[in-house]
Amino acid sequence: MNFVGEHILSVAQLNRADVEEIFAVADKMTPFAHRERVTRVLDGAVLCNLFFEASTRTRLSFGAAFNLLGGSVRETTDMESTSLVKGESLKDFARVVSAYSDVIVMRHPIDGAVAEFAESSRSPVLNGGDGSNEHPTQALLDVYTIKKELRTRKKGLDDLRIAVIGDLKYGRAVHSLIKLLKLFRNITVHLIAPPVLSAPESVITELQKAGHEVRHFEQLEHGIQGVDVLYMTRTQEERFSSSAEAREYQGLFRINQAVYSQHCEPDTVIMHPLPRDSREAAQEVNVDLDSNPNLAVFRQSDNGLIVRMALFALILDVVNKVEDYSTQVGWFTDARKWD
Ligand code: NCD
């Protein structure tokens, strides 16, 4: 696809060549993300970040990515502080906000709301997560991370074996991830979830129709054997009718060093979109794995910055100008370490 001026609402818009192009641009962004160089290529451009649900990584990394390309960021983090609470339609809201911005990122609690907003926006819109539907940029950074992690293990995305674990019903990050993996060859996906939290049928059948293998498990110990990647998720408490109902599923699947050592192949990559739920009843990824070099969860969030810089550069058509507008800076210290 030609990314210039386009909305990114769903991974379904992308083919394999598009994903590879994003990853190639992401690689080029790395020195800028790591503050080895500074670019002002988006000087004068404005990003509006509209986040109507809790967010740390997605909001801040989109904002920082734009800043690192030289642009400015305006944001609103609360629907209560916008005129949407006065009954303004998403259509009017989009018409207005898109005049203030060159690009918009929106997170919204309702499935499809970001696409509805985008229809009336005069600036490109990136979906930062819409309800339990999709989280396309998370899936891009996840697949970019898988690619990087497996490269050191002399493997690629083709023939990937991955276990996806937890709340597969409401987890928008896993919906986008599974849909994106469909683009590669010979993928094996182990879906580990209680039946009531299984992935939507449409997501599973799409994968099967593309010729990939899907296996269902209810026992963590069985499903995590023979895979390259474990992708853990949090019970999406905010999508349940009550916290009490969500609690029934928290802590159902937990990975810790002992479980990992007993059941996983050596070097299995451990991923999670974060936040991991650190409350005692949950702890789907135990902190005793923090010293395990295969825990990639913070490399994932680091990669989020790079992938989001790549998307802005592609959409705003500055990929080939980033270097021209770059400079050395005095404040950079190489004491900062990157994985
Ligand atoms: C995810 C989300 O918001 O969907 N978080 C994120 O963006 N990294 C996953 C989650 O909240 O569990």
Side-chain angles (χ1 to χ4, degrees), residues 34-316:
H34 290 181
R35 284 70 152 177
E36 286 155 21
R37 293 185 62 73
V38 166
T39 179
R40 305 297 306 163
V41 71
L42 289 185
D43 195 10
V46 177
L47 161 70
C48 269
N49 246 346
L50 309 171
F51 274 72
F52 301 134
E53 269 194 339
S55 174
T56 302
R57 274 146 290 271
T58 308
R59 182 170 66 85
L60 293 179
S61 68
F62 265 121
F66 208 73
N67 289 148
L68 287 167
L69 290 167
S72 309
V73 184
R74 295 269 120 199
E75 49 191 4
T76 168
T77 52
D78 178 4
M79 211 173 300
E80 302 303 306
S81 65
T82 71
S83 290
L84 290 170
V85 287
K86 299 180 188 170
E88 185 169 45
S89 66
L90 278 175
K91 194 173 170 193
D92 288 1
F93 185 54
R95 168 68 182 73
V96 172
V97 176
S98 58
Y100 306 156
S101 23
D102 300 285
V103 58
I104 294 170
V105 180
M106 180 183 249
R107 170 170 286 189
H108 197 288
I110 299 173
D111 295 28
V114 180
E116 186 187 335
F117 174 91
E119 269 176 41
S120 305
S121 172
R122 294 174 294 170
S123 310
V125 177
L126 287 93
N127 182 359
D130 64 318
S132 56
N133 180 36
E134 275 226 35
H135 193 349
T137 63
Q138 178 70 43
L140 284 165
L141 76 89
D142 287 339
V143 176
Y144 182 72
T145 303
I146 295 172
K147 186 178 173 193
K148 271 193 173 173
E149 297 288 321
L150 293 189
R151 196 184 293 147
T152 61
R153 294 159 175 81
K154 307 232 177 322
K155 291 183 181 173
L157 290 164
D158 292 327
D159 304 316
L160 173 73
R161 303 162 304 158
I162 182 170
V164 187
I165 302 141
D167 181 353
L168 310 185
K169 178 180 180 185
Y170 296 119
R172 57 191 171 201
V174 291
H175 299 163
S176 293
L177 174 64
I178 297 172
K179 288 187 197 177
L180 199 59
L181 287 175
K182 191 187 80 175
L183 300 177
F184 298 89
R185 274 193 298 275
N186 191 33
I187 307 290
T188 304
V189 182
H190 292 187
L191 298 174
I192 312 177
V196 285
L197 295 184
S198 63
E201 214 38 58
S202 59
V203 172
I204 300 171
T205 47
E206 256 186 60
L207 202 57
Q208 287 167 326
K209 272 196 200 145
H212 303 299
E213 189 174 340
V214 180
R215 294 197 206 143
H216 296 268
F217 297 89
E218 286 184 49
Q219 299 294 324
L220 181 77
E221 292 74 12
H222 298 154
I224 62 177
Q225 295 179 18
V227 293
D228 306 300
V229 176
L230 299 184
Y231 192 96
M232 303 296 296
T233 65
R234 170 182 74 87
T235 304
Q236 308 282 294
E237 188 172 334
E238 62 277 30
R239 312 268 176 243
F240 286 77
S241 50
S242 69
S243 296
E245 195 196 344
R247 272 197 294 278
E248 286 175 36
Y249 305 103
Q250 281 165 348
L252 215 51
F253 303 120
R254 289 171 151 165
I255 183 91
N256 58 27
Q257 187 56 53
V259 172
Y260 181 89
S261 304
Q262 197 182 344
H263 301 283
C264 295
E265 290 179 359
D267 288 347
T268 303
V269 182
I270 308 160
M271 296 178 62
H272 189 302
L274 300 181
R276 57 179 158 175
D277 191 336
S278 64
R279 289 171 291 186
E280 207 173 329
Q283 298 186 350
E284 63 274 3
V285 176
N286 197 288
V287 288
D288 73 357
L289 286 161
D290 287 10
S291 52
N292 183 325
N294 299 300
L295 186 79
V297 299
F298 298 111
R299 292 191 288 276
Q300 272 172 275
S301 50
D302 290 353
N303 288 334
L305 193 59
I306 301 170
V307 168
R308 290 178 172 125
M309 287 175 80
L311 286 169
F312 286 136
L314 283 160
I315 291 167
L316 296 173

